Every structure is written in C-alpha cells, then in structure tokens.
Amino acid sequence: MKLNRRKFLQGSAAAGGALVTAAMTPDASAKRRKAQPPKPKPAAPGKGKWLPTVCQGCTSWCAAEAFIQEGRVVGVRGHHLSKSSGGYLCPRGHLGISQMYDPDRIKVPMKRTNPRKGRGVDPKFVPITWDEALDTIAEKMIALRRNNETEKFMLMRGRYTYCRDVIYDALPKIFGSPNNISHSAICAEAEKFGSYYTEGYWDYRDYDLENSKYVICFGGDPIASNRQVPNAIRQWGKVLDQATVVAVDPRLSATASKAHEWMPVKPGEDSALAVALAHVILTEGLWSREFVGDFKDGVNAFKVGNTVDADSFDEKLTNGVVKWWNIELKDRTPEWAEKICLVPAEQIRRVAIGFGKAAPNVMCWMAPGAAMQPRGAYGALAAHALNGLVGAVDNKGGTLQKMSAKYTHIPMHKEKFKPYLDGIAKKGLKHKKIDQRGTLEFPSLKKKPGGGVVTNRAADGILDESPNEIKVAIGYWNNFVFSATGATRWERAMEKLPFFAHIVTNPSEMTQYADIVLPASFHMFERWGLVPSKYNRYSYIGLQQPIVKPLWDTRIDETEVVWMLAKKMKEKGFPNLFDYFQNEIKDPETGKTAEDEADFAKIVVKVMTERQWNPAKYHSGERINGWQEFLRIGLWQSDQYPFKKKWKKGFKTTTKKFEFYSETLKKTLGQHAQKHNVSIDRVMEVTQYTGRGEQVFVPHWEPAKYHGDEAEFPFIFMENRSRLSREGRSQNLNEFYEFKKVDPGDNSHMDVLKINPKDALALGVKNGDWVKITSPEKSVKAQVKLWEGVRPGTVNKSFGMGHWAYGRLAAKDYGKHMARGFNNNELLPADYDRLSGSTARHAVSRVRIEKI
C-alpha cells in the first residue's frame, strides 16, 4: 500500500488521557464543614448565535460567520454552508474582530483647525456633529456648482462593497464630475490583462485545485496571500499528495517552502522563464492536440530555430500558435533563458516536461508577482498562455472563469438616470479624468483604450493640475499616501488639495491631510453591503449586515453618508441627487422610499440582491425564499462551474478563440494608436516596452526595467504581502506583531530587511545590524535578517509596517508622526505597467545597502 503524506499524518495521530489527583483534608468538625459555602458549579458555555457576514481582509471576499454573545463579536469562522471555502477562514478573517474593537478607531466626526498641512504637522482635529461635518462638505461642493466647475470634484475609492454604485457612480455623475478614481490599478490590473488578451476575461481566474495534477505558482503564494487562501489551505495537503507543485518566486514563500520545486527567478524576468517553458512544451510535442490542434502530417515541426509554415498546422480552439512560435518562441531555449532569469536550464526543461505530461489537468497560477511590474503585461500574457498551450484553460484541474452572479445595479440606465443630470453636470462630465488614463503614455487598455484606471497617476494629475485642478475631494476606505508607490508624491498632492474629506475607520496617513474626518462603520460586522465573489467553481453573493450595534457614532461610507450629504445639498439648492435616491430607489417589498440614512442603506442592499432572495426573480443557483431567509443565511451560491464551457461557446476575444497571437490586443492597441495619430510601434516606445512589430501581439520576453544603475545600486529590492495584513489595515493590532514570524523569514515585532548570507558576508553585516537602504527615490533604515530564502543579489521586506499614523501600535509615536519600520512605498519610485495602467510594485527598483 502506498503511504502518502496525508495518510501518514492521519495514521500517526494518537489519543491520550489525563490523570487528575486531588488530596482532601478533613475538617476539624462537622459544624465547620456545614458552615462552608457550596462549591460553585462549572460555568455553562456562553450562549450566543452565529450570524452571516463577509470578510474583506483581501480580495477573496470569503463568506463567513460571526459568533455574537451579549451584543459582541467573540469569534469568527468560514461560513458553514460555503461551497467555496468549506467553512475555512484564513488569519485575516480572525483579525477582523480586533480591528473592529480597536480603541484607536475614529469615534466621532472631526474637523481640522490647523490650516497648514504636511507630514509631521498636527491637524489639531476637534470633534463636531454629523450635521456640521456634512454641511461643510455640502457647501464646498455647492460652491463648485455655483462656479460651473464640477469637474474639480474628485471621489477616491479604496476597498468597497458593491453598494459602491451609490458613492462611486451616482454621486459624482449626478453632481457632474468624471473623477471617480478607484484603487484597482494598485491591486491587480496587469494580472487581469494577461487573461483578457488571451481568453477575453478581465477578472481574477478561478482554479480547480481539487483535480489538479500539476500546479505552477507564477509569482503567487496561494496558501498565504491573495487569492482564495481558505480554499488553498483547506486543500493543500491533498494537492501535495496528488500533484507536483512548483513555486516561481525570488523569495522562499510559504508555498515555495512546501513545493516540490522552487524556481527562484530573477525579479522582473518572469516573461523569459515563461516563454522558455512554452518553447520546451512545443519542441517536446507536449501541447494539447484537443485544444490547440496538430500538424496535418502528424510530424512535429517545432524544432529549435526552425520557422514553421502556418498552413502545415491545423489549429482548433486557439489562434496563432505557429505565429507565436515563429515570432518569439523558436529561439527561446532554456539555455537562453538561464542567462536572463537565472533559473537553471535543466530545471526549466524538467518543469516544462512535467507540466506538459501531466496536462491537461494542470494549472499555471499567474499572480501579481509576475504581472505587477514595469512591462508586466507581457509576463502576465506569457504565464497565462501556458495554460492555453496544454489545454488547461477552462478545464478540469486547470484555470476557470466564473458562473454568473446576477445582482441588480441601482437604476443607472438612461431613462432613469438622465433626467437628474442638469446642464452643469453634463458639461462637467465631458472633462477628462484626473488619472490621465487614455493618454498616449497611459493606454490603460481595460477592454478598450482608456478603459481602466491609473490610480497612482492621480497624484501627478493633482500636482500638475492636469487635465484640471482639483479643489474638493472625498476619499473612502483608502490610504493612497501609504499604499501607493512613490508615496511622497501623494503627501505633496494631499498638501495641495484645498479641501479633503475622509470617510475611514482609523486615523490613517491620508486622514492627516483631511479637513473633515467622518467615522466609517466597520465592514465585517457593522454595515450593510453585498459582496460578490467566486472560487472553487462556485460564484456567490455574500451579505454584510449590522450584526452588532456600532460602538461609536459611525455611518456607512457608501450609502448612509451619501444619503445624508445629498439631503444637505438639496437644502442648499441642488436637489437632483437626493431626488434620484428617493424617486428611483425603493424597497422592493413595500415600494416605500427611505425614511432616513439607515433605512436607505438597507433598501439599497435589498434592491441590489433582489434577484437572489425574491422567488419571482429567480434566475439560477440556490433558491432563497424571501428577504428574511436571505438575512438568516446571508449567502447565495451559483451552480457549479462546468468544465470546457468556453470550449463549446467560444471565448470573448476577437477570434472567439484562445489567442496566442492576440487579435484582440492588436485591435485595441490599434484604436489607441489611431486616437493619437501614431503607429503602434510609437505607442510601445512611449509606454517603455521593447517589443515592436508583430512581437507586440504575442506573449514575449520583455527585459526587466529597474530604477537605478546596477553599479550604484547593486541589489534588487523585492517585497511580499504578509498573511496577517488586511490590506495594510491590521497594523494597529497586537496580533499582527506577535505572530509576524508566521511570514517566512520574518521575526515577531520587527520590520526586517532579509538578505542572503552570501551577500551579507560581502557587505560585512550580520543579524540585527542596522543598515541604510537607498534607492533612487529615498533612503531608509532597517535591521538585517540573514535568510537563505532570498536569492543572492536581491533583498526582501514584507509590506505592511512603516505606518507613521493609523494608531498607537501602527506608528512608533503617533503623536510625533514617527514610523514603526519603513513603508516600502516610500522607497519604491512610482512606475507602471502602462498598457494595463497598473502600479508596478514588484521588480521596480535597485537599492544600495550600507552598514550603519
């Protein structure tokens, strides 16, 4: 019998008992014994109930449940009915309790009394009422309308629920500003670029871990970091038993530490590794005949350096495999790649052959590490194209799209929405956006030229007043001053803003620049919201609801605050937004409009989820019998995703096929070039890619682009996401620091720079030494941790610490704005993958290390 890892662990478990002894001393008399009070009975388990919610500690958005006792949240778990997580929840979900009960949360509205703004400047906030706060904001916005300059209003969104329709769409549009700016491009847009311009899918992919036989984690850490961590940790033992796991990462991540193969690629050279893997798959004849096709004579003509006649290949469900070979792959041997990506040719060949032989029930899990780089769009394309090459796309054990989760938007179609747009709003909406998307330098090709956001570029737009000045801004659930690279630009941009209102739970770095601060209800336990997501072959819509009474005088950012603000603006002569809310958004059960902001928040969720809970509007998936049942369950789930769905229906690309030669990209880039009256090659030159001609339309090697000359800055700086980081929002919790050691190479309570011992020897540094790290952007200080888990020539630090605000634990000295550790984004210069609009946060900069 084969004894695998799992059976061994199960078989070796043993049960034991405990022996308890006690000594009793008799009293001197029976009278004394009678006088003693009776022994207390064992305390009964506290009574409580589990209520549904959704965790938003990362973008997995896992269905969860909270245990409530006497009005307090005392425990959390994965939703017991979830087909995606199987009832699991990662550490981020458990940290949500402490985050809600953080004593440093903002408790009441506040206003700034110090007109001077800047890092280290005390805002001198004082408490005010909600009425005064909203009156102040409304007056600033109405002043823009009086001056016919509504385009000078800006709405900045960070994390969100899908109630975003109210604050992100209705508010700026009816007011008359084009400047609703999302955080998305500092998150993962380059990753989505890879799947869209191959298979027409702009979204996170799903992964069938249950049935996979070979898993290549390309720049990702599934058991620790975004995405679907609960599913990964639940299934990883099974995955290791049934599949070969390969981790492509310059750092020995949690996943790499358990993998069968670790490929410590040189940062930024993921595309070289990916095209070499593709080269081997083709030369070894391991591509999928069922999905890709075959040579008409059955003889493999993919030979090193050999140009192939396209007419000799009978292609099936893909487009351009021979073109890809002729344009890019024919000379991309493992030996060529080894010199660039520094992964041994033998290992490249071994992994490619293993992947191809295990196919089609395999996956290349392409993640931000391979994509969120300067020129990262082509790393994303190349890594994801491997799935198409072996027929793993939309297949059992491979990468998947998602089942439909049909929620209802608030009424935004023309006949409902247009009547509320006055002449001032229509004029304002014609202006260009402040993030400069769609310009020649920033194509931001989310499905079309200028279709995506360039979040980090908004700071430059504010500073340069290009395309126009911003006078009034509102931000919610965001902290761009901390979370965007080139962070000092955001500090200067926020100083420049004449008026800024921040809706937030904690006093973050961005809050320090606010003129009005509004305390937000905590997402997981205190608010209404709907949150669609998917993984493990199911799509779902989770419900957030106020399962405990807020401790402080908070409001829900996306709905309650906006309703109250709209009411204030109506009082000042601009009724359009409030009238839209009252006329168009009504309770689906009663037909009534909202009586107050709390009622409005609930009605919005009822409207948007009606297709889930109203039997008369049932469309698919689980049947829920009414609103009350939906409140109780808090979760709607789709039918299971069927394999090969897109094989039968076709992909949403120009050719309706999986595109190795991307006609979709060719068309979209062509539109962008035509808009600016230049050639596509000129676009590529301005956007700082090296590809030219036909190479532009296939996954190809783009050389890494670092800031800083190697002679002056010999080390490449790399970062990773902590499994304890709730997107930078858990750093004011004791648990974050106590358990920091769970991140490979890190120490509890320390913000260490990890250096390979070989490099440390050359530098003359040892564990605990302080060093100065200098990039072309800035110099910072850190303590050294010698660790073999970073490849030589690179240094690594986890993202998360370095707050100079946010709370008493997050900062070293909150009152003096002294940072605890350093923020990676202050060291990293602002750069982009310009085709997608993404912020480059990996393989961005070189650094110099000097012992202090």
Side-chain angles (χ1 to χ4, degrees):
M1 181 184 76
K2 181 181 178 182
L3 188 64
N4 62 29
R5 175 178 173 274
R6 169 166 292 209
K7 290 178 180 177
F8 173 78
L9 291 174
Q10 291 172 342
S12 62
L19 179 64
V20 181
T21 60
M24 300 183 65
T25 305
D27 292 333
S29 67
K31 184 177 180 180
R32 184 175 178 183
R33 285 198 297 271
K34 290 178 181 179
Q36 288 183 330
K39 293 182 179 180
K41 294 181 179 180
K47 293 182 179 180
K49 57 184 176 179
W50 288 99
L51 295 177
T53 185
V54 180
C55 174
Q56 289 186 275
C58 75
T59 56
S60 296
W61 296 352
C62 297
E65 292 173 310
F67 193 60
I68 313 299
Q69 289 183 328
E70 298 181 358
R72 290 183 64 89
V73 181
V74 298
V76 294
R77 67 184 183 190
H79 199 297
H80 74 285
L81 297 177
S82 173
K83 299 172 185 176
S84 294
S85 70
Y88 278 62
L89 203 62
C90 86
R92 294 179 184 86
H94 295 274
L95 291 175
I97 302 174
S98 295
Q99 194 178 345
M100 181 177 67
Y101 291 123
D102 183 351
D104 289 340
R105 278 183 61 182
I106 297 168
K107 300 171 178 64
V108 296
M110 301 186 294
K111 70 177 180 182
R112 184 185 206 91
T113 60
N114 184 356
R116 192 164 69 91
K117 295 183 180 181
R119 182 167 176 171
V121 175
D122 184 357
K124 297 184 179 178
F125 290 129
V126 297
I128 57 174
T129 64
W130 273 97
D131 187 71
E132 181 183 349
L134 291 166
D135 190 78
T136 303
I137 299 169
E139 185 57 41
K140 294 291 183 181
M141 294 179 69
I142 292 298
L144 295 181
R145 292 191 64 83
R146 293 193 192 108
N147 294 328
N148 201 19
E149 52 183 12
T150 55
E151 73 278 1
K152 296 181 181 180
F153 169 73
M154 178 183 185
L155 189 283
M156 292 178 279
R157 183 189 82 188
R159 181 55 59 224
Y160 57 92
T161 76
Y162 274 56
C163 292
R164 63 187 182 184
D165 281 11
V166 175
I167 191 171
Y168 189 69
D169 284 331
L171 169 60
K173 287 179 180 176
I174 292 177
F175 181 77
S177 174
N179 290 313
N180 52 343
I181 304 299
S182 161
H183 80 292
S184 299
I186 61 175
C187 187
E189 297 305 90
E191 179 186 341
K192 299 171 187 176
F193 185 98
S195 56
Y196 184 78
Y197 287 103
T198 50
E199 61 171 295
Y201 183 63
W202 192 281
D203 204 342
Y204 298 108
R205 281 75 51 220
D206 192 9
Y207 301 93
D208 182 28
L209 289 172
E210 178 75 23
N211 297 297
S212 195
K213 299 295 187 290
Y214 207 106
V215 179
I216 300 179
C217 299
F218 230 112
D221 191 6
I223 61 174
S225 185
N226 199 10
R227 291 183 41 89
Q228 57 172 277
V229 178
N231 184 44
I233 60 179
R234 177 173 70 92
Q235 298 214 55
W236 212 248
K238 182 177 185 294
V239 172
L240 291 173
D241 287 343
Q242 72 186 20
T244 299
V245 176
V246 178
V248 179
D249 199 315
R251 175 185 71 105
L252 187 70
S253 64
T255 300
S257 71
K258 297 178 180 295
H260 301 93
E261 297 255 14
W262 176 34
M263 304 179 87
V265 64
K266 181 181 178 182
E269 298 293 3
D270 302 82
S271 61
L273 175 58
V275 297
L277 291 168
H279 172 97
V280 174
I281 289 169
L282 291 177
T283 57
E284 294 291 331
L286 295 173
W287 72 88
S288 170
R289 269 64 174 177
E290 181 186 11
F291 188 65
V292 180
D294 201 1
F295 288 98
K296 294 175 181 177
D297 61 5
V299 178
N300 185 5
F302 293 127
K303 306 296 181 184
V304 178
N306 182 49
T307 299
V308 174
D309 180 4
D311 291 335
S312 67
F313 196 92
D314 185 13
E315 202 160 3
K316 292 185 177 179
L317 302 179
T318 63
N319 180 71
V321 67
V322 173
K323 280 188 176 181
W324 187 24
W325 170 265
N326 290 337
I327 294 167
E328 175 66 16
L329 298 182
K330 62 185 176 67
D331 298 314
R332 301 309 195 196
T333 64
E335 289 73 21
W336 164 85
E338 179 178 0
K339 298 174 184 177
I340 296 166
C341 70
L342 306 183
V343 176
E346 178 186 355
Q347 188 181 28
I348 296 173
R349 185 169 281 105
R350 182 173 65 247
V351 168
I353 292 173
F355 186 68
K357 286 185 175 180
N361 308 131
V362 301
M363 66 177 69
C364 180
W365 187 318
M366 179 266 294
M372 301 293 283
Q373 309 170 358
R375 305 171 178 164
Y378 286 97
L381 283 170
H384 190 61
L386 296 173
N387 292 302
L389 205 55
V390 298
V393 170
D394 221 49
N395 206 349
K396 183 178 181 179
T399 66
L400 309 173
Q401 295 191 15
K402 65 180 179 182
M403 292 295 287
S404 177
K406 296 180 180 179
Y407 64 92
T408 304
H409 288 282
I410 62 173
M412 300 291 283
H413 40 83
K414 290 183 179 179
E415 62 270 23
K416 293 287 187 180
F417 192 70
K418 196 172 181 179
Y420 300 94
L421 298 178
D422 62 13
I424 295 174
K426 291 176 182 177
K427 178 179 176 291
L429 288 170
K430 291 179 180 179
H431 285 259
K432 294 180 180 179
K433 288 181 179 284
I434 196 68
D435 64 345
Q436 303 170 2
R437 71 184 76 177
T439 60
L440 178 59
E441 185 183 1
F442 290 94
S444 190
L445 303 178
K446 181 181 178 181
K447 303 182 181 180
K448 63 180 182 179
V453 65
V454 193
T455 312
N456 207 10
R457 191 67 180 174
D460 302 281
I462 294 169
L463 289 167
D464 300 337
E465 299 185 8
S466 175
N468 54 255
E469 182 185 9
I470 298 295
K471 289 185 175 181
V472 178
I474 296 175
Y476 84 97
W477 209 344
N478 67 328
N479 188 17
F480 296 159
V481 173
F482 182 83
S483 60
T485 58
T488 52
R489 294 172 311 114
W490 277 101
E491 293 177 7
R492 290 187 285 112
M494 298 308 296
E495 289 176 26
K496 182 179 174 68
L497 277 180
F499 182 83
F500 173 56
H502 206 198
I503 316 170
V504 68
T505 58
N506 281 65
S508 70
E509 284 75 12
M510 206 162 182
T511 309
Q512 309 308 308
Y513 299 87
D515 297 277
I516 295 290
V517 183
L518 301 178
S521 300
F522 184 67
H523 71 274
M524 201 171 174
F525 310 118
E526 296 179 335
R527 62 169 293 159
W528 288 104
L530 72 146
V531 187
S533 192
K534 87 288 182 175
Y535 58 88
N536 198 31
R537 298 180 63 195
Y538 291 93
S539 293
Y540 56 90
I541 292 179
L543 179 67
Q544 291 176 342
Q545 53 186 305
I547 55 180
V548 293
K549 183 179 179 180
L551 287 174
W552 317 114
D553 190 13
T554 65
R555 298 291 188 278
I556 301 172
D557 41 26
E558 294 173 321
T559 49
E560 291 183 334
V561 171
V562 185
W563 191 89
M564 296 165 73
L565 178 60
K567 189 176 181 181
K568 274 290 180 186
M569 287 196 287
K570 182 171 183 175
E571 293 171 3
K572 295 178 181 293
F574 177 62
N576 300 37
L577 183 60
F578 190 76
D579 289 351
Y580 166 73
F581 290 155
Q582 297 304 94
N583 295 338
E584 307 298 339
I585 303 177
K586 299 179 180 180
D587 190 311
E589 291 185 301
T590 67
K592 295 181 179 179
T593 57
E595 296 182 359
D596 55 28
E597 67 272 17
D599 196 26
F600 178 71
K602 183 177 180 179
I603 288 174
V604 168
V605 171
K606 290 182 74 173
V607 168
M608 297 187 73
T609 60
E610 188 180 6
R611 299 181 74 174
Q612 278 65 56
W613 58 262
N614 187 344
K617 295 195 174 185
Y618 174 79
H619 58 88
S620 62
E622 294 178 337
R623 292 181 181 272
I624 297 175
N625 188 27
W627 172 248
Q628 291 303 317
E629 184 172 312
F630 189 43
L631 282 179
R632 180 176 59 81
I633 299 172
L635 178 66
W636 170 89
Q637 299 177 96
S638 73
D639 298 322
Q640 192 175 50
Y641 188 90
F643 298 127
K644 298 186 177 180
K645 178 181 179 181
K646 296 298 177 182
W647 290 37
K648 299 171 184 176
K649 291 188 175 182
F651 296 90
K652 290 185 178 180
T653 59
T654 299
T655 63
K656 308 301 181 186
K657 297 182 176 182
F658 186 97
E659 296 182 343
F660 299 119
Y661 182 93
S662 183
E663 294 287 356
T664 307
L665 179 57
K666 188 175 187 177
K667 177 183 176 181
T668 311
L669 258 179
Q671 292 170 342
H672 182 73
Q674 185 177 20
K675 173 185 174 182
H676 294 281
N677 198 28
V678 298
S679 68
I680 290 177
D681 277 358
R682 176 58 179 161
V683 172
M684 299 303 286
E685 179 184 356
V686 172
T687 53
Q688 303 178 27
Y689 298 86
T690 63
R692 298 290 185 273
E694 291 284 85
Q695 189 184 36
V696 171
F697 314 122
V698 298
H700 66 265
W701 171 55
E702 281 284 338
K705 174 179 173 283
Y706 310 115
H707 288 250
D709 181 74
E710 184 174 1
E712 185 179 359
F713 303 98
F715 296 96
I716 302 168
F717 182 87
M718 288 297 296
E719 70 167 25
N720 63 280
R721 271 17 186 192
S722 168
R723 69 171 64 195
L724 300 175
S725 180
R726 291 176 57 84
E727 299 189 315
R729 295 187 292 268
S730 51
Q731 279 71 29
N732 204 48
L733 308 180
N734 277 308
E735 297 95 323
F736 178 87
Y737 301 100
E738 178 64 27
F739 299 110
K740 192 69 179 64
K741 59 188 176 185
V742 302
D743 293 319
D746 279 348
N747 291 354
S748 294
H749 303 283
M750 296 178 68
D751 193 28
V752 296
L753 182 75
K754 297 179 282 291
I755 301 177
N756 188 282
K758 291 182 179 179
D759 292 329
L761 183 64
L763 289 166
V765 299
K766 60 184 183 300
N767 275 324
D769 282 351
W770 283 89
V771 294
K772 181 170 76 170
I773 310 110
T774 303
S775 74
E777 185 78 5
K778 191 173 183 177
S779 291
V780 294
K781 297 178 182 179
Q783 277 189 283
V784 166
K785 169 71 180 292
L786 271 57
W787 189 47
E788 296 85 351
V790 290
R791 72 161 302 118
T794 72
V795 293
N796 171 272
K797 190 178 86 70
S798 295
F799 172 77
M801 291 182 66
H803 280 286
W804 50 268
Y806 214 85
R808 285 169 285 186
L809 287 176
K812 184 177 180 180
D813 189 324
Y814 177 85
K816 296 180 180 179
H817 294 124
M818 293 177 61
R820 183 173 183 174
F822 75 84
N823 178 11
N824 296 356
N825 287 324
E826 293 181 29
L827 187 70
L828 296 175
D831 204 346
Y832 308 85
D833 172 68
R834 287 164 169 77
L835 288 184
S836 66
S838 294
T839 291
R841 64 177 195 243
H842 299 293
V844 181
S845 186
R846 291 184 169 276
V847 295
R848 180 174 64 251
I849 310 294
E850 300 168 278
K851 184 177 180 180
I852 298 175

